[in-house]
Amino acid sequence: MKASSFIGVDIGGTNIKVGLVSKGSVVLKNFISVDRNDSEKLVLEKLFNTIDKVFSDEVEAIGIGVPGVVSPNTGIVYDVQNIPSWIEIPLKQLVNEHYHVPVHINNDANCFALGEKHFGHAKEFSNCVAISIGTGLGMGIIINNRLYNGVMCGAGEIGMLPYLNGIVEDFTGSFFFETHYGQTAKELYQRALNKDLQAQEAFKSYGSHLAEAFKLILYMYAPEAIILGGSISKAFTFFEKSLYNGLRTFTYQKQIEDLKIIRSKTIDSPILGAAALCL
């Protein structure tokens, strides 16, 4: 990252997080909550209000990660996950007209992977994937040291694949805990820390489902490493064992021996990755 200043925006399922990035570090941050029932106009107002808090004349460009299908050339965003009102938004144009600086847009999971590649554990690997587990499951793919976008930044959406009586994301995002245990992952994590056996069992079950998602990744991409981020990854110690147990049925066990599964320690990877779109 050059000494220039950029803004990185991470539009998540429940929050919009914005950071002013200079010399490879987030030097100023702000965030605002979003609700799935917010109107298209209200979400845009929240986005601009949040960027306003960190914007300055020194900002050269803005990078935005969005949980949806994105046309990086036109900057149009389609079908944003968890913001139903954003069906087709010319986001690049709207942000550019508001701030008069270049705007770059990509999928949020791709931004997480890019953040890890520039600033985190992915530096060490030529071929890896970065998985964000929170409201849903997102994946960014690094092949030969470059981010692989696919058409409309849609590569890596394994959360949409059919699984059991739903899709993979139903069992690997926060929906799983709310549906099967009646509490959020955050609430169950706190209970697990207090040695609550039911909460610990919830994460054990979660790990077995996540293992099935990992098998899909391994069969498709055979990465050197899988890097875990997102809010649920904080509970990694409670599902690590069941995750590895689930991987024992993977056909190519030699591949498992060499695989690195690493929890991200990089602070603000999605924001840094969004800012890295501007390079």
Side-chain angles (χ1 to χ4, degrees):
M1 181 78 71
K2 297 181 293 184
S4 308
S5 293
F6 303 102
I7 284 179
V9 181
D10 175 31
I11 300 178
T14 55
N15 293 292
I16 296 174
K17 299 176 182 177
V18 177
L20 177 65
V21 178
S22 181
K23 299 180 181 179
S25 297
V26 178
V27 296
L28 185 62
K29 280 194 297 185
N30 195 30
F31 77 95
I32 194 168
S33 297
V34 291
D35 188 278
R36 65 177 292 106
N37 297 316
D38 287 346
S39 68
E40 174 186 322
K41 181 180 179 181
L42 179 57
V43 177
L44 283 170
E45 288 176 355
K46 287 183 174 182
L47 173 63
F48 293 146
N49 288 339
T50 311
I51 294 175
D52 286 346
K53 298 293 195 304
V54 302
F55 191 83
S56 70
D57 292 339
E58 286 72 39
V59 171
E60 295 189 14
I62 297 172
I64 305 175
V66 182
V69 179
V70 177
S71 172
N73 294 327
T74 64
I76 297 175
V77 175
Y78 301 90
D79 301 317
V80 176
Q81 295 292 313
N82 305 307
I83 307 178
S85 64
W86 276 24
I87 298 172
E88 184 174 338
I89 305 292
L91 190 59
K92 179 177 180 178
Q93 176 187 335
L94 292 170
V95 177
N96 174 262
E97 289 175 351
H98 195 89
Y99 294 101
H100 307 290
V101 296
V103 178
H104 306 271
I105 300 179
N106 207 304
N107 177 267
D108 61 338
N110 288 350
C111 288
F112 171 55
L114 201 58
E116 286 295 321
K117 184 60 185 173
H118 279 273
F119 307 104
H121 292 292
K123 284 181 178 179
E124 307 168 33
F125 307 105
S126 299
N127 302 283
C128 63
V129 299
I131 302 289
S132 179
I133 44 177
T135 304
L137 180 145
M139 182 171 80
I141 306 160
I142 302 294
I143 298 177
N144 293 331
N145 292 309
R146 296 180 64 85
L147 177 68
Y148 176 69
N149 285 314
V151 175
M152 298 187 74
C153 302
E157 292 290 341
I158 66 164
M160 299 297 106
L161 292 174
Y163 176 63
L164 297 180
N165 62 337
I167 59 176
V168 170
E169 192 171 71
D170 292 335
F171 295 86
T172 54
S174 61
F175 313 106
F176 170 72
F177 299 99
E178 294 162 19
T179 301
H180 295 276
Y181 296 93
Q183 287 189 293
T184 65
K186 183 178 181 179
E187 290 168 336
L188 286 163
Y189 176 51
Q190 291 302 318
R191 286 174 54 191
L193 289 173
N194 291 323
K195 301 183 179 179
D196 183 290
L197 295 181
Q198 184 186 36
Q200 292 178 359
E201 185 63 32
F203 283 107
K204 179 180 177 182
S205 177
Y206 174 82
S208 66
H209 292 298
L210 189 62
E212 297 304 312
F214 276 29
K215 289 177 194 176
L216 294 172
I217 295 167
L218 290 164
Y219 284 126
M220 288 188 286
Y221 299 105
E224 300 166 67
I226 298 176
I227 298 166
L228 275 177
S231 57
I232 298 176
S233 70
K234 295 176 183 177
F236 184 56
T237 55
F238 293 111
F239 62 81
E240 180 179 12
K241 184 176 180 180
S242 63
L243 171 63
Y244 277 104
N245 284 341
L247 291 176
R248 289 179 179 175
T249 58
F250 183 70
T251 303
Y252 309 114
Q253 282 298 301
K254 182 60 180 174
Q255 191 177 332
I256 298 295
E257 290 176 20
D258 296 334
L259 176 69
K260 303 292 189 300
I261 299 176
I262 306 168
R263 188 171 85 81
S264 172
K265 298 294 197 301
T266 309
I267 299 173
D268 299 319
S269 268
I271 291 175
L272 288 166
L277 295 172
C278 305
L279 297 177

